[in-house]
Amino acid sequence: MSSSSVRIAPSILSADFARLGEEVRALEKAGADLVHFDVMDNHYVPNLTIGPMVCQAIRPHVQIPIDVHLMVEPVDAIIPMFAKAGANFITFHPEASAHIDRSLSLIREHGCKAGLVLNPATPLSCLEYVMDKLDMILLMSVNPGFGGQKFIPSTLPKLKAVRQLIDAHKQAGGQDIWLEVDGGANLSNIAEIVQAGADTVVAGSAVFGAPDADGGYSGIINQLKTKASAL
Ligand code: DX5
Ligand code: ZN
């Protein structure tokens, strides 16, 4: 994908939770492509965040897809709940499901796009037999659990390797698979991230930490897109 069409997925983990409806409307107005929705269960990861009721509450506020990133274990029971709450993408960590193939099918059966999330140290081998069931591969560039962490550089060669897998899959007649990166993305590293093969970039603290004077987010989202196309 050309870097000029990179998708920006602001993570509402860094939003003002007391004004979430307003915050997601501001993101859409500013040109965000997806709302990244981080679900943490105080079990798979130490933090505890938001669930299907919050997804349902923000759903009427935006048209753009809601990209639900499950950091919960196990995953199967909560998948239908998020589908019902208006999620468009549902991704989960392979370590958190005893039956990865079944969980991926479950997501699609409920009308959502399905994806796997690989932690920085998770090998690519878990993708091998499920490529046809994936609409998205999400590479973590930090260890999951918290916003505002530093980008782990070994993600860059890993992105390149996954880009090759996706391109080879498509060349062999396979479906399109989005390649998203999550954690520590900002104005200084987005160009490298996109050059390494990402077509979708999550940004939490980078977006919500740099609001426009009127509280909107057009400035930072435009800058991220411009930097992404700089190389
Ligand atoms: C981390 C979350 C990320 C995080 C990104 O577990 O999955 O989505 O909120 O935040 P930043 O961009 O601040 O690293
Ligand atoms: Zn996330």
Side-chain angles (χ1 to χ4, degrees), residues 11 13 36-40 67 69 71 117 138 140 180 182-183 202:
S11 161
L13 187 59
H36 186 78
F37 192 103
D38 286 308
V39 186
M40 305 186 188
D67 169 28
H69 172 193
M71 287 161 275
V117 192
L138 172 48
M140 291 306 299
E180 186 174 51
D182 186 7
V202 175

